[in-house]
Amino acid sequence: MTDHRHHPVPILIETDLCDDVDDAGALAVAHALADEDRVRILGIGINTSGHWSHSAARVLNGYYGRPELPVGILHPTTDAIGPEDYARAISRMHPSAATPDRMPPAVDVLRAALADADDGSVTLVSIGYFGNLVALLDSPADASAPLAGRELVRAKVARTVVMGGVFGRRARPERGAEPVSETNFVHDVGQTARFLGEWPGSIDFVGWETAADVITGRTLPLTQGDDSPVAIAYALHSGKGTGRPSWDLLAVMLSASELEGHIAWSEPGTVAVDDIARTLWTASAGGDHRYAKVVSSAEQVADIIDDHLGRPPRQPVGSISASVSEVEAWS
């Protein structure tokens, strides 16, 4: 396993924190890795526009003792919520941690974080839609960085890890078939195609099938307690003790080169999409893309991820606890 204790990987996270709870789990894993000095979180961009997503990210950052982390969001913002309304719930339960002074555009947060980073040092983790990243490519030079977006990405980003696409068969076919098109790719096919075709440098993909049967989060009430906003989010989304597939969590783990020996990589190639967002994979020796394949059992991988997901904060700030009765009121 690569030792990052003295050289934590600078990571920048792009997330659609509003619907599926694996985004909340991914942020929890990122904070656990930061507590181990394996990563350093530079900032978070939210690629949906509902302001509850912004406040939920602030709750999670505060819970893990990093309330100062910059969080940007897709503008114009709205009061929209996802079908599974955990983001608004944990924001209302912890208003002191959630209330922002402002909600800067995600592209501004991404540009500022990249400008402050060393050249060729940043790992960008995309666990959502691609609108912010396309806008970043199109962004002009500004006060935060003298480089336009495409040149800024090329100068600063060493590696990009994306949760998106479908590249093979799930480990447990009895649980159902793979989707024709994966959610992150299908949200805006035009933006997906632009990202895949224009993003500078290499991209490592975590496909839907890779983590569909890696179920984590079942033990959060035991490891973090019922009042943890992470445990609350999982309980509201999936039911207490049920857990959820680990798509976004796996992507964050791979950003820190965790899971060595449990994940293999495909040959190089190129990923594209058709007009209904089906994943088009072409193997090519000169390709900049590859995708992950689980080579251990789903249970082994889940145990490793759960070990990070369930860790209590090392240095929590203040008290943002909610009572069990509050959780039940939202169930």
Side-chain angles (χ1 to χ4, degrees):
M1 181 179 291
T2 305
D3 188 351
H4 297 299
R5 284 176 296 179
H6 302 295
H7 300 285
V9 177
I11 65 170
L12 193 52
I13 300 173
E14 262 284 302
T15 173
D16 59 337
L17 180 76
C18 71
D19 183 12
D20 202 323
V21 78
D22 64 331
D23 291 270
L27 293 185
V29 166
H31 281 288
L33 290 168
D35 283 349
E36 296 179 333
D37 291 327
R38 302 189 74 79
V39 305
R40 179 166 58 89
I41 307 170
L42 304 181
I44 298 168
I46 296 170
N47 41 66
T48 54
S49 60
H51 65 76
W52 296 109
S53 300
H54 187 276
S55 56
R58 289 172 56 88
V59 166
L60 294 169
N61 292 342
Y63 175 68
Y64 284 97
R66 296 181 179 88
E68 77 290 346
L69 277 180
V71 180
I73 189 169
L74 181 66
H75 278 231
T77 59
T78 71
D79 61 357
I81 57 174
E84 304 290 351
D85 184 19
Y86 68 84
R88 181 172 62 172
I90 64 173
S91 298
R92 285 181 166 175
M93 290 172 178
H94 310 300
S96 62
T99 304
D101 297 325
R102 62 190 183 93
M103 292 184 286
V107 172
D108 291 356
V109 169
L110 298 176
R111 285 187 59 84
L114 290 174
D116 288 343
D118 293 337
D119 287 354
S121 67
V122 176
T123 293
L124 188 140
V125 187
S126 173
I127 52 174
Y129 312 138
F130 301 103
N132 286 341
L133 298 180
V134 170
L136 172 62
L137 292 180
D138 292 341
S139 64
D142 59 15
S144 67
L147 297 176
R150 198 174 307 267
E151 289 70 33
L152 184 62
V153 170
R154 187 175 288 113
K156 302 292 184 173
V157 176
R159 183 186 182 204
T160 303
V161 181
V162 169
M163 190 282 126
V166 182
F167 298 91
R169 301 291 184 183
R170 68 187 302 170
R172 301 285 178 81
E174 71 276 7
R175 294 181 178 175
E178 300 74 24
V180 171
S181 301
E182 186 275 323
T183 299
N184 291 341
F185 276 21
V186 80
H187 176 74
D188 186 316
V189 180
Q191 289 179 341
T192 302
R194 280 200 61 194
F195 170 79
L196 295 173
E198 299 178 26
W199 189 257
S202 63
I203 307 176
D204 292 336
F205 290 88
V206 173
W208 183 93
E209 75 290 344
T210 310
D213 299 311
V214 178
I215 308 301
T216 54
R218 293 186 177 113
T219 60
L220 276 167
L222 297 175
T223 56
Q224 287 198 358
D226 282 317
D227 60 352
S228 153
V230 187
I232 291 168
Y234 271 77
L236 294 175
H237 180 279
S238 303
K240 187 175 179 179
T242 301
R244 185 71 179 145
S246 307
W247 298 291
D248 294 349
L249 297 80
L250 185 56
V252 169
M253 292 285 286
L254 292 176
S255 74
S257 298
E258 299 291 317
L259 299 174
E260 290 181 6
H262 300 278
I263 297 290
W265 294 100
S266 71
E267 70 274 34
T270 302
V271 179
V273 289
D274 64 12
D275 57 359
I276 62 168
R278 288 178 296 195
T279 306
L280 306 177
W281 167 255
T282 304
S284 169
D288 287 329
H289 302 163
R290 61 180 183 170
Y291 60 88
K293 298 182 282 188
V294 174
V295 294
S296 297
S297 71
E299 290 76 15
Q300 285 178 299
V301 176
D303 286 345
I304 297 169
I305 297 175
D306 258 331
D307 179 58
H308 291 76
L309 174 61
R311 291 181 187 178
R314 184 177 64 184
Q315 293 179 328
V317 172
S319 174
I320 57 171
S321 63
S323 68
V324 174
S325 62
E326 288 178 294
V327 178
E328 291 171 347
W330 283 90
S331 299

mmCIF file with all atom_site columns, all heavy atoms in Angstrom, residues 178-194:
data_model
loop_
_atom_site.group_PDB
_atom_site.id
_atom_site.type_symbol
_atom_site.label_atom_id
_atom_site.label_alt_id
_atom_site.label_comp_id
_atom_site.label_asym_id
_atom_site.label_entity_id
_atom_site.label_seq_id
_atom_site.pdbx_PDB_ins_code
_atom_site.Cartn_x
_atom_site.Cartn_y
_atom_site.Cartn_z
_atom_site.occupancy
_atom_site.B_iso_or_equiv
_atom_site.pdbx_formal_charge
_atom_site.auth_seq_id
_atom_site.auth_comp_id
_atom_site.auth_asym_id
_atom_site.auth_atom_id
_atom_site.pdbx_PDB_model_num
ATOM 1   N N   . GLU A 1 178 ? -27.376 -4.721 -15.136 1.00 0.00 ? 178 GLU A N   1
ATOM 2   C CA  . GLU A 1 178 ? -26.754 -3.412 -15.177 1.00 0.00 ? 178 GLU A CA  1
ATOM 3   C C   . GLU A 1 178 ? -27.665 -2.446 -15.934 1.00 0.00 ? 178 GLU A C   1
ATOM 4   O O   . GLU A 1 178 ? -28.415 -2.839 -16.826 1.00 0.00 ? 178 GLU A O   1
ATOM 5   C CB  . GLU A 1 178 ? -25.395 -3.484 -15.891 1.00 0.00 ? 178 GLU A CB  1
ATOM 6   C CG  . GLU A 1 178 ? -24.387 -4.414 -15.237 1.00 0.00 ? 178 GLU A CG  1
ATOM 7   C CD  . GLU A 1 178 ? -24.675 -5.886 -15.443 1.00 0.00 ? 178 GLU A CD  1
ATOM 8   O OE1 . GLU A 1 178 ? -25.357 -6.220 -16.437 1.00 0.00 ? 178 GLU A OE1 1
ATOM 9   O OE2 . GLU A 1 178 ? -24.253 -6.691 -14.596 1.00 0.00 ? 178 GLU A OE2 1
ATOM 10  N N   . PRO A 1 179 ? -27.615 -1.166 -15.597 1.00 0.00 ? 179 PRO A N   1
ATOM 11  C CA  . PRO A 1 179 ? -28.415 -0.191 -16.338 1.00 0.00 ? 179 PRO A CA  1
ATOM 12  C C   . PRO A 1 179 ? -27.862 -0.007 -17.748 1.00 0.00 ? 179 PRO A C   1
ATOM 13  O O   . PRO A 1 179 ? -26.668 -0.211 -17.994 1.00 0.00 ? 179 PRO A O   1
ATOM 14  C CB  . PRO A 1 179 ? -28.256 1.090  -15.514 1.00 0.00 ? 179 PRO A CB  1
ATOM 15  C CG  . PRO A 1 179 ? -26.946 0.929  -14.820 1.00 0.00 ? 179 PRO A CG  1
ATOM 16  C CD  . PRO A 1 179 ? -26.814 -0.537 -14.523 1.00 0.00 ? 179 PRO A CD  1
ATOM 17  N N   . VAL A 1 180 ? -28.712 0.386  -18.663 1.00 0.00 ? 180 VAL A N   1
ATOM 18  C CA  . VAL A 1 180 ? -28.252 0.693  -20.008 1.00 0.00 ? 180 VAL A CA  1
ATOM 19  C C   . VAL A 1 180 ? -27.351 1.922  -19.978 1.00 0.00 ? 180 VAL A C   1
ATOM 20  O O   . VAL A 1 180 ? -26.300 1.961  -20.635 1.00 0.00 ? 180 VAL A O   1
ATOM 21  C CB  . VAL A 1 180 ? -29.462 0.919  -20.949 1.00 0.00 ? 180 VAL A CB  1
ATOM 22  C CG1 . VAL A 1 180 ? -28.999 1.449  -22.310 1.00 0.00 ? 180 VAL A CG1 1
ATOM 23  C CG2 . VAL A 1 180 ? -30.260 -0.365 -21.096 1.00 0.00 ? 180 VAL A CG2 1
ATOM 24  N N   . SER A 1 181 ? -27.765 2.938  -19.233 1.00 0.00 ? 181 SER A N   1
ATOM 25  C CA  . SER A 1 181 ? -26.996 4.173  -19.102 1.00 0.00 ? 181 SER A CA  1
ATOM 26  C C   . SER A 1 181 ? -26.878 4.526  -17.626 1.00 0.00 ? 181 SER A C   1
ATOM 27  O O   . SER A 1 181 ? -27.854 4.453  -16.886 1.00 0.00 ? 181 SER A O   1
ATOM 28  C CB  . SER A 1 181 ? -27.678 5.318  -19.853 1.00 0.00 ? 181 SER A CB  1
ATOM 29  O OG  . SER A 1 181 ? -27.821 5.015  -21.225 1.00 0.00 ? 181 SER A OG  1
ATOM 30  N N   . GLU A 1 182 ? -25.686 4.920  -17.217 1.00 0.00 ? 182 GLU A N   1
ATOM 31  C CA  . GLU A 1 182 ? -25.442 5.245  -15.811 1.00 0.00 ? 182 GLU A CA  1
ATOM 32  C C   . GLU A 1 182 ? -25.852 6.684  -15.515 1.00 0.00 ? 182 GLU A C   1
ATOM 33  O O   . GLU A 1 182 ? -25.732 7.561  -16.373 1.00 0.00 ? 182 GLU A O   1
ATOM 34  C CB  . GLU A 1 182 ? -23.950 5.011  -15.514 1.00 0.00 ? 182 GLU A CB  1
ATOM 35  C CG  . GLU A 1 182 ? -23.554 5.153  -14.064 1.00 0.00 ? 182 GLU A CG  1
ATOM 36  C CD  . GLU A 1 182 ? -23.265 6.594  -13.716 1.00 0.00 ? 182 GLU A CD  1
ATOM 37  O OE1 . GLU A 1 182 ? -22.699 7.310  -14.578 1.00 0.00 ? 182 GLU A OE1 1
ATOM 38  O OE2 . GLU A 1 182 ? -23.622 7.010  -12.600 1.00 0.00 ? 182 GLU A OE2 1
ATOM 39  N N   . THR A 1 183 ? -26.325 6.930  -14.293 1.00 0.00 ? 183 THR A N   1
ATOM 40  C CA  . THR A 1 183 ? -26.956 8.199  -13.929 1.00 0.00 ? 183 THR A CA  1
ATOM 41  C C   . THR A 1 183 ? -26.080 9.416  -14.197 1.00 0.00 ? 183 THR A C   1
ATOM 42  O O   . THR A 1 183 ? -26.546 10.424 -14.740 1.00 0.00 ? 183 THR A O   1
ATOM 43  C CB  . THR A 1 183 ? -27.351 8.173  -12.440 1.00 0.00 ? 183 THR A CB  1
ATOM 44  O OG1 . THR A 1 183 ? -28.287 7.112  -12.225 1.00 0.00 ? 183 THR A OG1 1
ATOM 45  C CG2 . THR A 1 183 ? -27.980 9.488  -12.013 1.00 0.00 ? 183 THR A CG2 1
ATOM 46  N N   . ASN A 1 184 ? -24.825 9.379  -13.794 1.00 0.00 ? 184 ASN A N   1
ATOM 47  C CA  . ASN A 1 184 ? -23.975 10.554 -13.980 1.00 0.00 ? 184 ASN A CA  1
ATOM 48  C C   . ASN A 1 184 ? -23.756 10.878 -15.451 1.00 0.00 ? 184 ASN A C   1
ATOM 49  O O   . ASN A 1 184 ? -23.658 12.052 -15.827 1.00 0.00 ? 184 ASN A O   1
ATOM 50  C CB  . ASN A 1 184 ? -22.626 10.348 -13.281 1.00 0.00 ? 184 ASN A CB  1
ATOM 51  C CG  . ASN A 1 184 ? -22.756 10.334 -11.771 1.00 0.00 ? 184 ASN A CG  1
ATOM 52  O OD1 . ASN A 1 184 ? -23.735 10.809 -11.216 1.00 0.00 ? 184 ASN A OD1 1
ATOM 53  N ND2 . ASN A 1 184 ? -21.761 9.769  -11.104 1.00 0.00 ? 184 ASN A ND2 1
ATOM 54  N N   . PHE A 1 185 ? -23.673 9.843  -16.283 1.00 0.00 ? 185 PHE A N   1
ATOM 55  C CA  . PHE A 1 185 ? -23.503 10.062 -17.718 1.00 0.00 ? 185 PHE A CA  1
ATOM 56  C C   . PHE A 1 185 ? -24.786 10.571 -18.371 1.00 0.00 ? 185 PHE A C   1
ATOM 57  O O   . PHE A 1 185 ? -24.748 11.369 -19.308 1.00 0.00 ? 185 PHE A O   1
ATOM 58  C CB  . PHE A 1 185 ? -23.077 8.763  -18.397 1.00 0.00 ? 185 PHE A CB  1
ATOM 59  C CG  . PHE A 1 185 ? -21.594 8.488  -18.352 1.00 0.00 ? 185 PHE A CG  1
ATOM 60  C CD1 . PHE A 1 185 ? -20.779 9.097  -17.412 1.00 0.00 ? 185 PHE A CD1 1
ATOM 61  C CD2 . PHE A 1 185 ? -21.021 7.600  -19.250 1.00 0.00 ? 185 PHE A CD2 1
ATOM 62  C CE1 . PHE A 1 185 ? -19.415 8.839  -17.369 1.00 0.00 ? 185 PHE A CE1 1
ATOM 63  C CE2 . PHE A 1 185 ? -19.656 7.337  -19.230 1.00 0.00 ? 185 PHE A CE2 1
ATOM 64  C CZ  . PHE A 1 185 ? -18.847 7.946  -18.291 1.00 0.00 ? 185 PHE A CZ  1
ATOM 65  N N   . VAL A 1 186 ? -25.945 10.113 -17.902 1.00 0.00 ? 186 VAL A N   1
ATOM 66  C CA  . VAL A 1 186 ? -27.203 10.407 -18.585 1.00 0.00 ? 186 VAL A CA  1
ATOM 67  C C   . VAL A 1 186 ? -27.785 11.756 -18.200 1.00 0.00 ? 186 VAL A C   1
ATOM 68  O O   . VAL A 1 186 ? -28.653 12.290 -18.907 1.00 0.00 ? 186 VAL A O   1
ATOM 69  C CB  . VAL A 1 186 ? -28.229 9.280  -18.318 1.00 0.00 ? 186 VAL A CB  1
ATOM 70  C CG1 . VAL A 1 186 ? -28.896 9.445  -16.952 1.00 0.00 ? 186 VAL A CG1 1
ATOM 71  C CG2 . VAL A 1 186 ? -29.281 9.198  -19.411 1.00 0.00 ? 186 VAL A CG2 1
ATOM 72  N N   . HIS A 1 187 ? -27.329 12.354 -17.107 1.00 0.00 ? 187 HIS A N   1
ATOM 73  C CA  . HIS A 1 187 ? -27.926 13.604 -16.611 1.00 0.00 ? 187 HIS A CA  1
ATOM 74  C C   . HIS A 1 187 ? -27.946 14.692 -17.681 1.00 0.00 ? 187 HIS A C   1
ATOM 75  O O   . HIS A 1 187 ? -28.967 15.368 -17.866 1.00 0.00 ? 187 HIS A O   1
ATOM 76  C CB  . HIS A 1 187 ? -27.169 14.083 -15.385 1.00 0.00 ? 187 HIS A CB  1
ATOM 77  C CG  . HIS A 1 187 ? -27.630 15.406 -14.860 1.00 0.00 ? 187 HIS A CG  1
ATOM 78  N ND1 . HIS A 1 187 ? -28.809 15.554 -14.180 1.00 0.00 ? 187 HIS A ND1 1
ATOM 79  C CD2 . HIS A 1 187 ? -27.076 16.644 -14.939 1.00 0.00 ? 187 HIS A CD2 1
ATOM 80  C CE1 . HIS A 1 187 ? -28.969 16.831 -13.859 1.00 0.00 ? 187 HIS A CE1 1
ATOM 81  N NE2 . HIS A 1 187 ? -27.937 17.505 -14.300 1.00 0.00 ? 187 HIS A NE2 1
ATOM 82  N N   . ASP A 1 188 ? -26.833 14.906 -18.356 1.00 0.00 ? 188 ASP A N   1
ATOM 83  C CA  . ASP A 1 188 ? -26.756 15.844 -19.476 1.00 0.00 ? 188 ASP A CA  1
ATOM 84  C C   . ASP A 1 188 ? -25.757 15.250 -20.454 1.00 0.00 ? 188 ASP A C   1
ATOM 85  O O   . ASP A 1 188 ? -24.541 15.394 -20.290 1.00 0.00 ? 188 ASP A O   1
ATOM 86  C CB  . ASP A 1 188 ? -26.311 17.227 -18.999 1.00 0.00 ? 188 ASP A CB  1
ATOM 87  C CG  . ASP A 1 188 ? -26.350 18.282 -20.100 1.00 0.00 ? 188 ASP A CG  1
ATOM 88  O OD1 . ASP A 1 188 ? -25.904 17.985 -21.231 1.00 0.00 ? 188 ASP A OD1 1
ATOM 89  O OD2 . ASP A 1 188 ? -26.828 19.405 -19.838 1.00 0.00 ? 188 ASP A OD2 1
ATOM 90  N N   . VAL A 1 189 ? -26.282 14.565 -21.464 1.00 0.00 ? 189 VAL A N   1
ATOM 91  C CA  . VAL A 1 189 ? -25.426 13.793 -22.364 1.00 0.00 ? 189 VAL A CA  1
ATOM 92  C C   . VAL A 1 189 ? -24.437 14.694 -23.085 1.00 0.00 ? 189 VAL A C   1
ATOM 93  O O   . VAL A 1 189 ? -23.275 14.324 -23.310 1.00 0.00 ? 189 VAL A O   1
ATOM 94  C CB  . VAL A 1 189 ? -26.278 12.997 -23.371 1.00 0.00 ? 189 VAL A CB  1
ATOM 95  C CG1 . VAL A 1 189 ? -25.389 12.194 -24.306 1.00 0.00 ? 189 VAL A CG1 1
ATOM 96  C CG2 . VAL A 1 189 ? -27.242 12.065 -22.640 1.00 0.00 ? 189 VAL A CG2 1
ATOM 97  N N   . GLY A 1 190 ? -24.867 15.896 -23.447 1.00 0.00 ? 190 GLY A N   1
ATOM 98  C CA  . GLY A 1 190 ? -23.970 16.805 -24.131 1.00 0.00 ? 190 GLY A CA  1
ATOM 99  C C   . GLY A 1 190 ? -22.776 17.192 -23.276 1.00 0.00 ? 190 GLY A C   1
ATOM 100 O O   . GLY A 1 190 ? -21.626 17.214 -23.756 1.00 0.00 ? 190 GLY A O   1
ATOM 101 N N   . GLN A 1 191 ? -23.025 17.503 -22.012 1.00 0.00 ? 191 GLN A N   1
ATOM 102 C CA  . GLN A 1 191 ? -21.924 17.840 -21.114 1.00 0.00 ? 191 GLN A CA  1
ATOM 103 C C   . GLN A 1 191 ? -21.030 16.634 -20.854 1.00 0.00 ? 191 GLN A C   1
ATOM 104 O O   . GLN A 1 191 ? -19.798 16.769 -20.773 1.00 0.00 ? 191 GLN A O   1
ATOM 105 C CB  . GLN A 1 191 ? -22.467 18.391 -19.798 1.00 0.00 ? 191 GLN A CB  1
ATOM 106 C CG  . GLN A 1 191 ? -23.077 19.776 -19.926 1.00 0.00 ? 191 GLN A CG  1
ATOM 107 C CD  . GLN A 1 191 ? -23.641 20.297 -18.615 1.00 0.00 ? 191 GLN A CD  1
ATOM 108 O OE1 . GLN A 1 191 ? -23.893 19.526 -17.688 1.00 0.00 ? 191 GLN A OE1 1
ATOM 109 N NE2 . GLN A 1 191 ? -23.843 21.597 -18.537 1.00 0.00 ? 191 GLN A NE2 1
ATOM 110 N N   . THR A 1 192 ? -21.636 15.457 -20.720 1.00 0.00 ? 192 THR A N   1
ATOM 111 C CA  . THR A 1 192 ? -20.839 14.245 -20.533 1.00 0.00 ? 192 THR A CA  1
ATOM 112 C C   . THR A 1 192 ? -19.906 14.034 -21.716 1.00 0.00 ? 192 THR A C   1
ATOM 113 O O   . THR A 1 192 ? -18.709 13.753 -21.546 1.00 0.00 ? 192 THR A O   1
ATOM 114 C CB  . THR A 1 192 ? -21.751 13.018 -20.361 1.00 0.00 ? 192 THR A CB  1
ATOM 115 O OG1 . THR A 1 192 ? -22.616 13.225 -19.246 1.00 0.00 ? 192 THR A OG1 1
ATOM 116 C CG2 . THR A 1 192 ? -20.933 11.755 -20.143 1.00 0.00 ? 192 THR A CG2 1
ATOM 117 N N   . ALA A 1 193 ? -20.441 14.167 -22.922 1.00 0.00 ? 193 ALA A N   1
ATOM 118 C CA  . ALA A 1 193 ? -19.626 13.970 -24.127 1.00 0.00 ? 193 ALA A CA  1
ATOM 119 C C   . ALA A 1 193 ? -18.488 14.983 -24.193 1.00 0.00 ? 193 ALA A C   1
ATOM 120 O O   . ALA A 1 193 ? -17.352 14.642 -24.562 1.00 0.00 ? 193 ALA A O   1
ATOM 121 C CB  . ALA A 1 193 ? -20.514 14.074 -25.365 1.00 0.00 ? 193 ALA A CB  1
ATOM 122 N N   . ARG A 1 194 ? -18.783 16.214 -23.843 1.00 0.00 ? 194 ARG A N   1
ATOM 123 C CA  . ARG A 1 194 ? -17.725 17.224 -23.851 1.00 0.00 ? 194 ARG A CA  1
ATOM 124 C C   . ARG A 1 194 ? -16.647 16.899 -22.823 1.00 0.00 ? 194 ARG A C   1
ATOM 125 O O   . ARG A 1 194 ? -15.443 17.000 -23.118 1.00 0.00 ? 194 ARG A O   1
ATOM 126 C CB  . ARG A 1 194 ? -18.305 18.611 -23.564 1.00 0.00 ? 194 ARG A CB  1
ATOM 127 C CG  . ARG A 1 194 ? -18.954 19.294 -24.757 1.00 0.00 ? 194 ARG A CG  1
ATOM 128 C CD  . ARG A 1 194 ? -19.039 20.796 -24.522 1.00 0.00 ? 194 ARG A CD  1
ATOM 129 N NE  . ARG A 1 194 ? -17.714 21.378 -24.356 1.00 0.00 ? 194 ARG A NE  1
ATOM 130 C CZ  . ARG A 1 194 ? -17.483 22.603 -23.885 1.00 0.00 ? 194 ARG A CZ  1
ATOM 131 N NH1 . ARG A 1 194 ? -18.501 23.377 -23.506 1.00 0.00 ? 194 ARG A NH1 1
ATOM 132 N NH2 . ARG A 1 194 ? -16.259 23.061 -23.776 1.00 0.00 ? 194 ARG A NH2 1
#
